[in-house]
Amino acid sequence: MKRFRTFRKDQVTRDKYADVAVNAQDFIYPYFVVEGEGIVEPIPTMPGINRYSIDTLVQDVQEIKKLGIDKVLLFGVVEDDVKDDRGSAAYTEDALICRAVKAIKQAVPDVIVITDVCLCEYTSHGHCGLLVTRTEPAVEGGVIQKIIDVDNDTTLPLLAEMAYVHAKAGADFVAPSAMMDGQIEALDKRLREGGLRGQTRILAYSAKYASAFYGPFRDAADSAPSFGDRKTYQMDYRTHDQGLEEIAADLEEGADWTMVKPALPYLDVIARAVGRFPQVPMVAYQVSGEYSMLKAAAQAGYLDEQRVVYESLIAIKRAGAQYIITYYAKEYQQRWA
């Protein structure tokens, strides 16, 4: 009989044998950025998380830097009157995120700034690329039907241009999340053409699943699709190996870091990907639904928030993620680190 309880007899012993840890350098903290001044707007579906105008964003980034968090991920949130069917507000050189990047880099130059590259926050229809209408026979009856979908190849130049203006503004990483085939290659080519590939790297949302856990984010970013869903371009979670194939393709196209999203329901994908691509930094995104569920359960008194947050973060690290995008990063460092 082997005795394992000797490893657990008291807290000092348990701490001695613990071989997974979480620290501030593991965290990437997401921000939602809006136009205006002096804005700190609470997001009802994500308690404790706010939308920030650029001036208050800079102040908050300075605050988290003091807590040891040195990586941020930026999402732009624009008003409906500037949205159009092409997401034009996303890729102008004075775009909201470009100005936010410049402001952060001026105030806190040693913070690593990652920008989300997707059109959904900027299109009037809420989808992640340009729309196309195609016709095809229905499954039953042979009746021709019209289907509106996102066109992959015409979307790629727009994503590439969005990444380019972010890089030109000073972004350390651009992170394309639209899940268009070939998006990494398109971004890599545009950054090289612009002479910016040496300063800006690419974080690929490689294994991004069509998940029900994104609900609160779509409220926060005002990016819910006005019709249909995103299942034709985000991954089907019922698949076993496609995630690894997507990661391999992104690395072949030039990705520097890769990502699995969401995190906790996909720990198996994280672990398998790290095992297959151990040399590549793996990022896991603990998404809005994961955050809001833990918050709701804790506020209802069903869970000890500190313990359950710590356990969930340890699980993500134990699966092999090197970095964790989490809305808990700031609170964790303030209250529990």
Side-chain angles (χ1 to χ4, degrees):
M1 179 177 64
K2 294 183 178 179
R3 295 192 179 274
F4 292 97
R5 292 183 60 187
T6 55
F7 301 123
R8 309 164 195 153
K9 63 180 182 179
D10 53 43
Q11 189 63 47
V12 172
T13 303
R14 290 190 292 272
D15 289 343
K16 176 182 177 181
Y17 287 101
D19 57 5
V20 181
V22 175
N23 58 64
Q25 286 70 45
D26 299 331
F27 293 139
I28 301 171
Y29 192 45
Y31 282 104
F32 299 97
V33 190
V34 297
E35 296 283 9
E37 295 183 2
I39 296 173
V40 179
E41 180 184 7
I43 299 169
T45 54
M46 300 176 68
I49 304 301
N50 306 299
R51 300 184 188 94
Y52 295 90
S53 53
I54 292 175
D55 56 332
T56 56
L57 168 70
V58 170
Q59 294 171 5
D60 207 79
V61 172
Q62 291 172 324
E63 180 180 343
I64 67 167
K65 182 62 170 61
K66 294 176 182 177
L67 297 172
I69 302 169
D70 63 355
K71 291 174 283 294
V72 300
L73 172 61
L74 304 183
F75 296 94
V77 185
V78 299
E79 297 294 333
D80 288 344
D81 60 358
V82 301
K83 297 182 179 183
D84 60 29
D85 61 354
R86 297 181 59 83
S88 302
Y91 42 87
T92 61
E93 293 201 1
D94 65 342
L96 173 61
I97 290 301
C98 294
R99 286 179 275 126
V101 171
K102 291 177 181 178
I104 292 172
K105 282 298 183 181
Q106 183 175 1
V108 202
D110 53 346
V111 165
I112 295 172
V113 179
I114 306 166
T115 61
D116 181 75
V117 176
C118 189
L119 299 182
C120 62
E121 299 104 319
Y122 306 91
T123 53
S124 52
H125 46 74
H127 278 283
C128 300
L130 301 184
L131 299 183
V132 63
T133 301
R134 68 176 188 267
T135 59
E136 59 182 46
V139 176
E140 297 181 3
V143 178
I144 299 297
Q145 60 179 353
K146 291 184 178 181
I147 297 176
I148 301 175
D149 198 5
V150 172
D151 188 62
N152 194 95
D153 293 4
T154 58
T155 297
L156 294 178
L158 305 186
L159 296 174
E161 193 61 26
M162 185 178 180
Y164 172 72
V165 297
H166 290 180
K168 193 173 180 180
D172 298 287
F173 282 84
V174 287
S177 62
M179 288 300 287
M180 297 294 112
D181 294 338
Q183 62 184 10
I184 303 301
E185 182 179 45
L187 267 63
D188 180 77
K189 180 180 178 182
R190 182 66 182 97
L191 293 177
R192 292 184 187 280
E193 289 174 349
L196 297 174
R197 193 61 175 97
Q199 75 175 45
T200 302
R201 290 178 282 176
I202 299 175
L203 166 57
Y205 281 71
S206 297
K208 179 181 178 181
Y209 291 84
S211 173
F213 286 89
Y214 302 148
F217 174 93
R218 291 173 180 171
D219 290 337
D222 191 22
S223 63
S226 59
F227 66 92
D229 53 42
R230 296 178 176 143
K231 292 181 180 179
T232 65
Y233 44 103
Q234 293 179 0
M235 290 181 54
D236 190 329
Y237 52 78
R238 297 172 298 176
T239 61
H240 190 255
D241 292 328
Q242 280 186 19
L244 299 184
E245 293 168 3
E246 294 259 7
I247 291 170
D250 282 351
L251 293 175
E252 184 177 346
E253 291 178 19
D256 299 289
W257 292 7
T258 190
M259 184 195 301
V260 172
K261 176 183 181 182
L264 284 177
Y266 301 90
L267 294 179
D268 61 317
V269 180
I270 295 171
R272 293 177 65 216
V274 171
R276 182 168 169 182
F277 310 104
Q279 76 283 6
V280 181
M282 167 60 70
V283 179
Y285 197 150
Q286 187 182 48
V287 300
S288 60
E290 297 174 74
Y291 171 85
S292 294
M293 286 195 306
L294 295 181
K295 273 289 177 188
Q299 290 176 353
Y302 299 143
L303 297 172
D304 181 317
E305 188 173 17
Q306 178 180 358
R307 291 181 61 191
V308 75
V309 170
Y310 182 66
E311 184 177 342
S312 67
L313 295 173
I314 286 291
I316 297 168
K317 283 293 298 292
R318 191 178 63 241
Q322 188 168 344
Y323 302 106
I324 304 172
I325 303 170
T326 175
Y327 300 96
Y328 264 114
K330 180 180 176 181
E331 183 177 7
Y332 182 88
Q333 288 303 119
Q334 286 176 326
R335 297 177 59 190
W336 305 316

